[in-house]
Amino acid sequence: MAKKSFSFRYLSVVLALIVGLISSYVMLKFLQSREKDSMQADFNALAKDRFYSLQKSINGYFEVLNSIGATSAASKNQINKNEFRLIVQYALLRLPDVEVLQWIPCVPSSKRLQFELNAFQDGYPDLQISERNSQAKIVSAAPRKEYFPLYYFEPFYIDDSTQGRPNVGFDYASEPILREAMEKARDTGTIAVTAKMKLSRLIREPSGQNGCAFFLPVCQPEKPHYNLEERRLNLAGFVAGAFNIEKTVKISLQAFQPAGIDIYLYDETAPPISDQRILCMHSDLMQKGSSPISPQKEKEAGKVFQWQKSFGVGGRTWSVLCSSNSDFLLTYSRWGPWIAFSTTLLFTFLLSGYLFTLLHRTKQVERLVIKRTAELSQEITERKRAEKDVKESEERLKIIMDSVQAAIMVIDAESLKIVDVNPVAVEMIGFPKEQIIGETCYKFVCPHEKGKCPVIENGKTVDRSEGELVTANDKTIPVIKSVNSIMMKDRRYFVESFMDISERKQLEETLRALSLVDELTGIYNRRGFLTLAERDLKLAKRTHTPRVLLFIDLDQMKSINDTLGHQEGDLALIDTASILKQAFRDSDIIARIGGDEFVVLAAVTEVAERTRDPFGALTSRLQEKVGLHNETGNRRFKLSMSLGITHYSPESSCSVDELLSRADSQMYAQKKKLYSPAS
């Protein structure tokens, strides 16, 4: 009976406690729901006011930019520095968050040289169209269809020469993030905004703050631009600039009193998992020296009100997320629900406290036992799961290494010994896998770097850098490689991947050779001649061997073009190159340096030098070849040449340009004598 009575009393207390707790909880939730609805309505009103203020500021900003574009497009002549300054002064006064406004002209490849010459007259003596190479250094821009270099910018006191940032003449189209926005602006005919980027890429901004660049397309005056093709064809350039996102948000919200609201500005167009997605955070807590926590963490804790809305900005979609923080909760929270809940709980616990005190010790022991048992079970489960994950990871890593098309080599970071290679690496090296593992990486990859590993010694990042691979037959293969550092089982390893770039190197050599050869005649062009002639004169000075330079002008070339057509003129040039190759040796340097001008740099042999007229043999042989061609050739024209000959002595310090000038003067003297009216 005592046991039953105890159980009955225990059950009664438990039931009373349960009823009291349920009643208290239901009442609390009801009151909290009413309070939450009221706070949500207040929060939504505050959030909407801030959203529309920010949207209005950005829309007003774009209206001013469109007016700049309209003024620039209305100019009948090309925009100059003073006109650009007058156009943007009003915008800079109205838009304090704009860091810089720039004029980016469209420069076709054919007008690049003229553009750089005009820049010299415009006050930029050292301007050349440039870009960043793979080492982030400013170099001359590679040839392409068109360029978009920085030309004018305001405010003018911004120093664009700081190392690591674009300068005047920098081709904005060489930067992928800028080129994407420029193409979008050109094709749509409207303002396009980039993804989030560091302002230091465009202006002197040492704090590394984030911002966005914009591009407003400007078409050529009085040219149509109503469809995509017309906009691309008649593009004059861009009005470009950069603005500080945080400053923009701060200025648009400065009229509002702190209300405990955190504002998160997102770029919905950016990839979901990307640093570019979140543009900025603005919080009332920031004004007090604190930092807001993540809105997702606040929402999970159930202590946050949120309101979100999206709007379009320069071809991208931005969204504003307003989230309450602790200041909002302290300001707008009411204590009525909690007072009622506390009173009900106090009454419930006073009724059941005595018996719960007696049962507390037993329950405490049981709770500790259950907790410890659960912890042990969880530890065992987690350990098994971790072992399984490690095994699966190793299997996945092996599958990936065996299936990837690039050669992969895993290297111990301390000993620099190879611990694993994939089949592609084994095939490229030529040794069995067992002979490769255990060797130092320098035996096969970049042996010239032995003892000065760029990753270990200098802490450099190796990403797509060129190197060499030594194979089993001691053959050296050019490769491009990348090295990443990883941790496995508390030990550091390097994962080095590399690919054979032999074909690319051969193509580069072919392209380099083509740049020195005249496309029409197949002999050297002016660049090829100057390059080879300079080397040949150095060789002549070392070997004490004289040289002869012949400057040859094809007579009556204009008459052939005018009377027979340019096709016959091209044949005359080709025949002249063929005659020169027949008349001179393979070791002599033959080139076409102008429209109808040819030069030959020939070595004077010891026998020829001892003759009375070493030049006569050369000219006679050449005239003989010309006469033979005119007699036997089936052409509608006869070839005739004017010659200028000069001698180079190894003891002299005469340059290639001086030799050309002397031979050119002699050639024109001969031509003047030959075609003068008296003759």
Side-chain angles (χ1 to χ4, degrees), residues 253-286:
L253 301 179
Q254 63 185 359
F256 296 95
Q257 293 295 328
I261 297 179
D262 299 334
I263 296 178
Y264 301 84
L265 185 61
Y266 295 96
D267 184 355
E268 301 292 348
T269 313
I273 304 177
S274 170
D275 293 336
Q276 295 177 335
R277 183 171 177 81
I278 181 165
L279 299 175
C280 79
M281 297 184 294
H282 179 82
S283 174
D284 293 339
L285 289 176
M286 292 181 182

PDB file of all heavy atoms in Angstrom, residues 253-286:
ATOM      1  N   LEU A 253      21.380  55.907 -45.879  1.00  0.00           N
ATOM      2  CA  LEU A 253      20.709  55.595 -44.610  1.00  0.00           C
ATOM      3  C   LEU A 253      21.055  56.580 -43.498  1.00  0.00           C
ATOM      4  O   LEU A 253      20.619  56.389 -42.352  1.00  0.00           O
ATOM      5  CB  LEU A 253      21.085  54.174 -44.154  1.00  0.00           C
ATOM      6  CG  LEU A 253      20.735  53.039 -45.122  1.00  0.00           C
ATOM      7  CD1 LEU A 253      21.187  51.709 -44.549  1.00  0.00           C
ATOM      8  CD2 LEU A 253      19.240  53.011 -45.414  1.00  0.00           C
ATOM      9  N   GLN A 254      21.822  57.625 -43.792  1.00  0.00           N
ATOM     10  CA  GLN A 254      22.271  58.504 -42.720  1.00  0.00           C
ATOM     11  C   GLN A 254      21.140  59.344 -42.116  1.00  0.00           C
ATOM     12  O   GLN A 254      21.273  59.871 -41.016  1.00  0.00           O
ATOM     13  CB  GLN A 254      23.371  59.419 -43.256  1.00  0.00           C
ATOM     14  CG  GLN A 254      22.927  60.359 -44.385  1.00  0.00           C
ATOM     15  CD  GLN A 254      24.079  61.155 -44.964  1.00  0.00           C
ATOM     16  OE1 GLN A 254      25.213  61.024 -44.504  1.00  0.00           O
ATOM     17  NE2 GLN A 254      23.799  61.982 -45.956  1.00  0.00           N
ATOM     18  N   ALA A 255      20.011  59.467 -42.843  1.00  0.00           N
ATOM     19  CA  ALA A 255      18.895  60.255 -42.316  1.00  0.00           C
ATOM     20  C   ALA A 255      18.074  59.484 -41.282  1.00  0.00           C
ATOM     21  O   ALA A 255      17.239  60.067 -40.592  1.00  0.00           O
ATOM     22  CB  ALA A 255      17.983  60.708 -43.465  1.00  0.00           C
ATOM     23  N   PHE A 256      18.270  58.179 -41.150  1.00  0.00           N
ATOM     24  CA  PHE A 256      17.469  57.361 -40.245  1.00  0.00           C
ATOM     25  C   PHE A 256      18.148  57.253 -38.883  1.00  0.00           C
ATOM     26  O   PHE A 256      19.364  57.125 -38.779  1.00  0.00           O
ATOM     27  CB  PHE A 256      17.267  55.954 -40.813  1.00  0.00           C
ATOM     28  CG  PHE A 256      16.472  55.926 -42.095  1.00  0.00           C
ATOM     29  CD1 PHE A 256      17.116  55.912 -43.310  1.00  0.00           C
ATOM     30  CD2 PHE A 256      15.096  55.949 -42.064  1.00  0.00           C
ATOM     31  CE1 PHE A 256      16.408  55.889 -44.485  1.00  0.00           C
ATOM     32  CE2 PHE A 256      14.370  55.924 -43.231  1.00  0.00           C
ATOM     33  CZ  PHE A 256      15.028  55.905 -44.457  1.00  0.00           C
ATOM     34  N   GLN A 257      17.346  57.285 -37.860  1.00  0.00           N
ATOM     35  CA  GLN A 257      17.835  57.079 -36.509  1.00  0.00           C
ATOM     36  C   GLN A 257      18.112  55.592 -36.285  1.00  0.00           C
ATOM     37  O   GLN A 257      17.434  54.740 -36.847  1.00  0.00           O
ATOM     38  CB  GLN A 257      16.804  57.566 -35.479  1.00  0.00           C
ATOM     39  CG  GLN A 257      16.581  59.067 -35.484  1.00  0.00           C
ATOM     40  CD  GLN A 257      17.822  59.829 -35.049  1.00  0.00           C
ATOM     41  OE1 GLN A 257      18.598  59.348 -34.232  1.00  0.00           O
ATOM     42  NE2 GLN A 257      18.012  61.020 -35.626  1.00  0.00           N
ATOM     43  N   PRO A 258      19.134  55.246 -35.474  1.00  0.00           N
ATOM     44  CA  PRO A 258      19.398  53.827 -35.201  1.00  0.00           C
ATOM     45  C   PRO A 258      18.160  53.144 -34.631  1.00  0.00           C
ATOM     46  O   PRO A 258      17.525  53.648 -33.709  1.00  0.00           O
ATOM     47  CB  PRO A 258      20.544  53.874 -34.187  1.00  0.00           C
ATOM     48  CG  PRO A 258      21.207  55.198 -34.419  1.00  0.00           C
ATOM     49  CD  PRO A 258      20.109  56.140 -34.813  1.00  0.00           C
ATOM     50  N   ALA A 259      17.816  51.983 -35.214  1.00  0.00           N
ATOM     51  CA  ALA A 259      16.623  51.258 -34.775  1.00  0.00           C
ATOM     52  C   ALA A 259      16.920  49.789 -34.545  1.00  0.00           C
ATOM     53  O   ALA A 259      15.998  48.989 -34.422  1.00  0.00           O
ATOM     54  CB  ALA A 259      15.506  51.404 -35.816  1.00  0.00           C
ATOM     55  N   GLY A 260      18.179  49.407 -34.502  1.00  0.00           N
ATOM     56  CA  GLY A 260      18.501  48.011 -34.248  1.00  0.00           C
ATOM     57  C   GLY A 260      18.271  47.124 -35.456  1.00  0.00           C
ATOM     58  O   GLY A 260      17.812  45.995 -35.304  1.00  0.00           O
ATOM     59  N   ILE A 261      18.585  47.620 -36.658  1.00  0.00           N
ATOM     60  CA  ILE A 261      18.355  46.845 -37.886  1.00  0.00           C
ATOM     61  C   ILE A 261      19.688  46.655 -38.596  1.00  0.00           C
ATOM     62  O   ILE A 261      20.405  47.617 -38.871  1.00  0.00           O
ATOM     63  CB  ILE A 261      17.357  47.556 -38.824  1.00  0.00           C
ATOM     64  CG1 ILE A 261      15.991  47.666 -38.143  1.00  0.00           C
ATOM     65  CG2 ILE A 261      17.234  46.805 -40.142  1.00  0.00           C
ATOM     66  CD1 ILE A 261      14.962  48.382 -38.983  1.00  0.00           C
ATOM     67  N   ASP A 262      20.028  45.401 -38.898  1.00  0.00           N
ATOM     68  CA  ASP A 262      21.187  45.063 -39.712  1.00  0.00           C
ATOM     69  C   ASP A 262      20.740  44.932 -41.164  1.00  0.00           C
ATOM     70  O   ASP A 262      19.745  44.265 -41.452  1.00  0.00           O
ATOM     71  CB  ASP A 262      21.822  43.746 -39.256  1.00  0.00           C
ATOM     72  CG  ASP A 262      22.318  43.821 -37.833  1.00  0.00           C
ATOM     73  OD1 ASP A 262      22.621  44.933 -37.371  1.00  0.00           O
ATOM     74  OD2 ASP A 262      22.386  42.768 -37.178  1.00  0.00           O
ATOM     75  N   ILE A 263      21.482  45.564 -42.071  1.00  0.00           N
ATOM     76  CA  ILE A 263      21.140  45.524 -43.499  1.00  0.00           C
ATOM     77  C   ILE A 263      22.257  44.793 -44.234  1.00  0.00           C
ATOM     78  O   ILE A 263      23.421  45.159 -44.139  1.00  0.00           O
ATOM     79  CB  ILE A 263      20.959  46.941 -44.071  1.00  0.00           C
ATOM     80  CG1 ILE A 263      19.766  47.622 -43.382  1.00  0.00           C
ATOM     81  CG2 ILE A 263      20.750  46.896 -45.582  1.00  0.00           C
ATOM     82  CD1 ILE A 263      19.536  49.039 -43.837  1.00  0.00           C
ATOM     83  N   TYR A 264      21.850  43.746 -44.959  1.00  0.00           N
ATOM     84  CA  TYR A 264      22.782  42.937 -45.749  1.00  0.00           C
ATOM     85  C   TYR A 264      22.426  43.122 -47.221  1.00  0.00           C
ATOM     86  O   TYR A 264      21.292  42.865 -47.623  1.00  0.00           O
ATOM     87  CB  TYR A 264      22.701  41.455 -45.379  1.00  0.00           C
ATOM     88  CG  TYR A 264      22.999  41.191 -43.924  1.00  0.00           C
ATOM     89  CD1 TYR A 264      21.993  41.323 -42.956  1.00  0.00           C
ATOM     90  CD2 TYR A 264      24.270  40.831 -43.514  1.00  0.00           C
ATOM     91  CE1 TYR A 264      22.262  41.087 -41.622  1.00  0.00           C
ATOM     92  CE2 TYR A 264      24.544  40.591 -42.176  1.00  0.00           C
ATOM     93  CZ  TYR A 264      23.524  40.723 -41.235  1.00  0.00           C
ATOM     94  OH  TYR A 264      23.786  40.488 -39.926  1.00  0.00           O
ATOM     95  N   LEU A 265      23.406  43.568 -48.012  1.00  0.00           N
ATOM     96  CA  LEU A 265      23.193  43.789 -49.447  1.00  0.00           C
ATOM     97  C   LEU A 265      23.871  42.661 -50.219  1.00  0.00           C
ATOM     98  O   LEU A 265      25.074  42.446 -50.091  1.00  0.00           O
ATOM     99  CB  LEU A 265      23.785  45.137 -49.864  1.00  0.00           C
ATOM    100  CG  LEU A 265      23.537  45.570 -51.315  1.00  0.00           C
ATOM    101  CD1 LEU A 265      22.040  45.698 -51.589  1.00  0.00           C
ATOM    102  CD2 LEU A 265      24.235  46.896 -51.597  1.00  0.00           C
ATOM    103  N   TYR A 266      23.061  41.902 -50.991  1.00  0.00           N
ATOM    104  CA  TYR A 266      23.570  40.741 -51.728  1.00  0.00           C
ATOM    105  C   TYR A 266      23.497  40.982 -53.230  1.00  0.00           C
ATOM    106  O   TYR A 266      22.623  41.690 -53.719  1.00  0.00           O
ATOM    107  CB  TYR A 266      22.756  39.482 -51.408  1.00  0.00           C
ATOM    108  CG  TYR A 266      22.864  39.014 -49.983  1.00  0.00           C
ATOM    109  CD1 TYR A 266      21.898  39.369 -49.032  1.00  0.00           C
ATOM    110  CD2 TYR A 266      23.925  38.213 -49.588  1.00  0.00           C
ATOM    111  CE1 TYR A 266      21.997  38.920 -47.727  1.00  0.00           C
ATOM    112  CE2 TYR A 266      24.024  37.760 -48.274  1.00  0.00           C
ATOM    113  CZ  TYR A 266      23.064  38.131 -47.348  1.00  0.00           C
ATOM    114  OH  TYR A 266      23.147  37.696 -46.065  1.00  0.00           O
ATOM    115  N   ASP A 267      24.434  40.355 -53.955  1.00  0.00           N
ATOM    116  CA  ASP A 267      24.388  40.302 -55.419  1.00  0.00           C
ATOM    117  C   ASP A 267      23.854  38.919 -55.809  1.00  0.00           C
ATOM    118  O   ASP A 267      24.579  37.929 -55.791  1.00  0.00           O
ATOM    119  CB  ASP A 267      25.790  40.523 -55.997  1.00  0.00           C
ATOM    120  CG  ASP A 267      25.767  40.579 -57.519  1.00  0.00           C
ATOM    121  OD1 ASP A 267      24.697  40.360 -58.117  1.00  0.00           O
ATOM    122  OD2 ASP A 267      26.834  40.839 -58.100  1.00  0.00           O
ATOM    123  N   GLU A 268      22.556  38.850 -56.171  1.00  0.00           N
ATOM    124  CA  GLU A 268      21.939  37.565 -56.496  1.00  0.00           C
ATOM    125  C   GLU A 268      22.478  36.997 -57.805  1.00  0.00           C
ATOM    126  O   GLU A 268      22.323  35.806 -58.074  1.00  0.00           O
ATOM    127  CB  GLU A 268      20.415  37.714 -56.591  1.00  0.00           C
ATOM    128  CG  GLU A 268      19.750  38.213 -55.331  1.00  0.00           C
ATOM    129  CD  GLU A 268      19.810  37.210 -54.186  1.00  0.00           C
ATOM    130  OE1 GLU A 268      20.177  36.040 -54.435  1.00  0.00           O
ATOM    131  OE2 GLU A 268      19.526  37.584 -53.053  1.00  0.00           O
ATOM    132  N   THR A 269      23.116  37.841 -58.641  1.00  0.00           N
ATOM    133  CA  THR A 269      23.652  37.353 -59.906  1.00  0.00           C
ATOM    134  C   THR A 269      24.948  36.586 -59.702  1.00  0.00           C
ATOM    135  O   THR A 269      25.308  35.755 -60.531  1.00  0.00           O
ATOM    136  CB  THR A 269      23.899  38.547 -60.855  1.00  0.00           C
ATOM    137  OG1 THR A 269      22.753  39.396 -60.848  1.00  0.00           O
ATOM    138  CG2 THR A 269      24.154  38.066 -62.276  1.00  0.00           C
ATOM    139  N   ALA A 270      25.655  36.843 -58.598  1.00  0.00           N
ATOM    140  CA  ALA A 270      26.912  36.155 -58.324  1.00  0.00           C
ATOM    141  C   ALA A 270      26.640  34.696 -57.972  1.00  0.00           C
ATOM    142  O   ALA A 270      25.528  34.326 -57.607  1.00  0.00           O
ATOM    143  CB  ALA A 270      27.649  36.855 -57.175  1.00  0.00           C
ATOM    144  N   PRO A 271      27.663  33.808 -58.108  1.00  0.00           N
ATOM    145  CA  PRO A 271      27.474  32.397 -57.735  1.00  0.00           C
ATOM    146  C   PRO A 271      27.027  32.274 -56.276  1.00  0.00           C
ATOM    147  O   PRO A 271      27.403  33.082 -55.430  1.00  0.00           O
ATOM    148  CB  PRO A 271      28.880  31.806 -57.942  1.00  0.00           C
ATOM    149  CG  PRO A 271      29.521  32.698 -58.942  1.00  0.00           C
ATOM    150  CD  PRO A 271      28.989  34.073 -58.660  1.00  0.00           C
ATOM    151  N   PRO A 272      26.195  31.236 -55.969  1.00  0.00           N
ATOM    152  CA  PRO A 272      25.652  31.097 -54.606  1.00  0.00           C
ATOM    153  C   PRO A 272      26.732  31.033 -53.530  1.00  0.00           C
ATOM    154  O   PRO A 272      26.595  31.617 -52.478  1.00  0.00           O
ATOM    155  CB  PRO A 272      24.853  29.786 -54.690  1.00  0.00           C
ATOM    156  CG  PRO A 272      24.519  29.638 -56.136  1.00  0.00           C
ATOM    157  CD  PRO A 272      25.675  30.223 -56.886  1.00  0.00           C
ATOM    158  N   ILE A 273      27.816  30.310 -53.806  1.00  0.00           N
ATOM    159  CA  ILE A 273      28.906  30.196 -52.823  1.00  0.00           C
ATOM    160  C   ILE A 273      30.089  30.986 -53.375  1.00  0.00           C
ATOM    161  O   ILE A 273      30.924  30.467 -54.111  1.00  0.00           O
ATOM    162  CB  ILE A 273      29.276  28.724 -52.581  1.00  0.00           C
ATOM    163  CG1 ILE A 273      28.056  27.928 -52.136  1.00  0.00           C
ATOM    164  CG2 ILE A 273      30.379  28.628 -51.541  1.00  0.00           C
ATOM    165  CD1 ILE A 273      28.332  26.453 -51.944  1.00  0.00           C
ATOM    166  N   SER A 274      30.133  32.265 -53.031  1.00  0.00           N
ATOM    167  CA  SER A 274      31.171  33.142 -53.581  1.00  0.00           C
ATOM    168  C   SER A 274      31.345  34.353 -52.682  1.00  0.00           C
ATOM    169  O   SER A 274      30.380  34.845 -52.073  1.00  0.00           O
ATOM    170  CB  SER A 274      30.790  33.582 -55.000  1.00  0.00           C
ATOM    171  OG  SER A 274      31.654  34.590 -55.457  1.00  0.00           O
ATOM    172  N   ASP A 275      32.588  34.848 -52.583  1.00  0.00           N
ATOM    173  CA  ASP A 275      32.849  36.070 -51.822  1.00  0.00           C
ATOM    174  C   ASP A 275      32.201  37.290 -52.470  1.00  0.00           C
ATOM    175  O   ASP A 275      31.999  38.318 -51.824  1.00  0.00           O
ATOM    176  CB  ASP A 275      34.362  36.308 -51.704  1.00  0.00           C
ATOM    177  CG  ASP A 275      35.035  35.255 -50.848  1.00  0.00           C
ATOM    178  OD1 ASP A 275      34.345  34.647 -50.009  1.00  0.00           O
ATOM    179  OD2 ASP A 275      36.242  35.051 -51.021  1.00  0.00           O
ATOM    180  N   GLN A 276      31.891  37.189 -53.773  1.00  0.00           N
ATOM    181  CA  GLN A 276      31.280  38.312 -54.482  1.00  0.00           C
ATOM    182  C   GLN A 276      29.791  38.438 -54.183  1.00  0.00           C
ATOM    183  O   GLN A 276      29.183  39.435 -54.549  1.00  0.00           O
ATOM    184  CB  GLN A 276      31.486  38.141 -55.990  1.00  0.00           C
ATOM    185  CG  GLN A 276      32.940  38.206 -56.425  1.00  0.00           C
ATOM    186  CD  GLN A 276      33.091  37.970 -57.917  1.00  0.00           C
ATOM    187  OE1 GLN A 276      32.247  37.339 -58.544  1.00  0.00           O
ATOM    188  NE2 GLN A 276      34.166  38.493 -58.488  1.00  0.00           N
ATOM    189  N   ARG A 277      29.198  37.424 -53.537  1.00  0.00           N
ATOM    190  CA  ARG A 277      27.746  37.442 -53.347  1.00  0.00           C
ATOM    191  C   ARG A 277      27.315  38.513 -52.347  1.00  0.00           C
ATOM    192  O   ARG A 277      26.365  39.249 -52.584  1.00  0.00           O
ATOM    193  CB  ARG A 277      27.263  36.060 -52.890  1.00  0.00           C
ATOM    194  CG  ARG A 277      25.749  35.974 -52.738  1.00  0.00           C
ATOM    195  CD  ARG A 277      25.316  34.538 -52.493  1.00  0.00           C
ATOM    196  NE  ARG A 277      23.873  34.452 -52.284  1.00  0.00           N
ATOM    197  CZ  ARG A 277      22.970  34.446 -53.241  1.00  0.00           C
ATOM    198  NH1 ARG A 277      23.378  34.538 -54.493  1.00  0.00           N
ATOM    199  NH2 ARG A 277      21.686  34.355 -52.975  1.00  0.00           N
ATOM    200  N   ILE A 278      27.984  38.614 -51.195  1.00  0.00           N
ATOM    201  CA  ILE A 278      27.607  39.615 -50.198  1.00  0.00           C
ATOM    202  C   ILE A 278      28.378  40.896 -50.503  1.00  0.00           C
ATOM    203  O   ILE A 278      29.610  40.914 -50.548  1.00  0.00           O
ATOM    204  CB  ILE A 278      27.861  39.114 -48.768  1.00  0.00           C
ATOM    205  CG1 ILE A 278      27.432  40.173 -47.761  1.00  0.00           C
ATOM    206  CG2 ILE A 278      29.290  38.677 -48.557  1.00  0.00           C
ATOM    207  CD1 ILE A 278      27.295  39.660 -46.361  1.00  0.00           C
ATOM    208  N   LEU A 279      27.643  41.974 -50.759  1.00  0.00           N
ATOM    209  CA  LEU A 279      28.246  43.245 -51.152  1.00  0.00           C
ATOM    210  C   LEU A 279      28.685  44.066 -49.948  1.00  0.00           C
ATOM    211  O   LEU A 279      29.773  44.612 -49.925  1.00  0.00           O
ATOM    212  CB  LEU A 279      27.260  44.036 -52.018  1.00  0.00           C
ATOM    213  CG  LEU A 279      26.849  43.352 -53.326  1.00  0.00           C
ATOM    214  CD1 LEU A 279      25.785  44.156 -54.045  1.00  0.00           C
ATOM    215  CD2 LEU A 279      28.056  43.153 -54.230  1.00  0.00           C
ATOM    216  N   CYS A 280      27.803  44.178 -48.941  1.00  0.00           N
ATOM    217  CA  CYS A 280      28.200  44.902 -47.738  1.00  0.00           C
ATOM    218  C   CYS A 280      27.215  44.609 -46.625  1.00  0.00           C
ATOM    219  O   CYS A 280      26.129  44.081 -46.856  1.00  0.00           O
ATOM    220  CB  CYS A 280      28.304  46.412 -48.000  1.00  0.00           C
ATOM    221  SG  CYS A 280      26.703  47.256 -48.018  1.00  0.00           S
ATOM    222  N   MET A 281      27.624  44.971 -45.394  1.00  0.00           N
ATOM    223  CA  MET A 281      26.769  44.847 -44.216  1.00  0.00           C
ATOM    224  C   MET A 281      26.756  46.195 -43.501  1.00  0.00           C
ATOM    225  O   MET A 281      27.812  46.802 -43.295  1.00  0.00           O
ATOM    226  CB  MET A 281      27.282  43.750 -43.284  1.00  0.00           C
ATOM    227  CG  MET A 281      27.271  42.355 -43.892  1.00  0.00           C
ATOM    228  SD  MET A 281      27.789  41.091 -42.707  1.00  0.00           S
ATOM    229  CE  MET A 281      29.488  41.567 -42.453  1.00  0.00           C
ATOM    230  N   HIS A 282      25.566  46.628 -43.136  1.00  0.00           N
ATOM    231  CA  HIS A 282      25.422  47.885 -42.409  1.00  0.00           C
ATOM    232  C   HIS A 282      24.570  47.604 -41.180  1.00  0.00           C
ATOM    233  O   HIS A 282      23.477  47.052 -41.280  1.00  0.00           O
ATOM    234  CB  HIS A 282      24.754  48.938 -43.286  1.00  0.00           C
ATOM    235  CG  HIS A 282      24.556  50.253 -42.581  1.00  0.00           C
ATOM    236  ND1 HIS A 282      25.552  51.189 -42.457  1.00  0.00           N
ATOM    237  CD2 HIS A 282      23.468  50.763 -41.948  1.00  0.00           C
ATOM    238  CE1 HIS A 282      25.093  52.230 -41.781  1.00  0.00           C
ATOM    239  NE2 HIS A 282      23.835  51.999 -41.471  1.00  0.00           N
ATOM    240  N   SER A 283      25.073  48.000 -40.017  1.00  0.00           N
ATOM    241  CA  SER A 283      24.370  47.656 -38.786  1.00  0.00           C
ATOM    242  C   SER A 283      24.421  48.817 -37.806  1.00  0.00           C
ATOM    243  O   SER A 283      25.409  49.550 -37.731  1.00  0.00           O
ATOM    244  CB  SER A 283      24.999  46.410 -38.156  1.00  0.00           C
ATOM    245  OG  SER A 283      24.433  46.146 -36.902  1.00  0.00           O
ATOM    246  N   ASP A 284      23.327  48.965 -37.035  1.00  0.00           N
ATOM    247  CA  ASP A 284      23.338  49.933 -35.934  1.00  0.00           C
ATOM    248  C   ASP A 284      24.386  49.553 -34.905  1.00  0.00           C
ATOM    249  O   ASP A 284      24.961  50.398 -34.219  1.00  0.00           O
ATOM    250  CB  ASP A 284      21.963  50.015 -35.277  1.00  0.00           C
ATOM    251  CG  ASP A 284      20.930  50.608 -36.235  1.00  0.00           C
ATOM    252  OD1 ASP A 284      21.341  51.300 -37.191  1.00  0.00           O
ATOM    253  OD2 ASP A 284      19.748  50.368 -36.030  1.00  0.00           O
ATOM    254  N   LEU A 285      24.656  48.225 -34.762  1.00  0.00           N
ATOM    255  CA  LEU A 285      25.653  47.785 -33.798  1.00  0.00           C
ATOM    256  C   LEU A 285      27.054  48.248 -34.185  1.00  0.00           C
ATOM    257  O   LEU A 285      27.895  48.460 -33.343  1.00  0.00           O
ATOM    258  CB  LEU A 285      25.635  46.260 -33.695  1.00  0.00           C
ATOM    259  CG  LEU A 285      24.412  45.639 -32.995  1.00  0.00           C
ATOM    260  CD1 LEU A 285      24.502  44.132 -33.073  1.00  0.00           C
ATOM    261  CD2 LEU A 285      24.330  46.093 -31.552  1.00  0.00           C
ATOM    262  N   MET A 286      27.279  48.393 -35.531  1.00  0.00           N
ATOM    263  CA  MET A 286      28.595  48.843 -35.975  1.00  0.00           C
ATOM    264  C   MET A 286      28.919  50.233 -35.444  1.00  0.00           C
ATOM    265  O   MET A 286      30.066  50.567 -35.164  1.00  0.00           O
ATOM    266  CB  MET A 286      28.657  48.846 -37.502  1.00  0.00           C
ATOM    267  CG  MET A 286      28.608  47.479 -38.143  1.00  0.00           C
ATOM    268  SD  MET A 286      28.715  47.609 -39.928  1.00  0.00           S
ATOM    269  CE  MET A 286      28.572  45.876 -40.374  1.00  0.00           C
TER     270      MET A 286
END
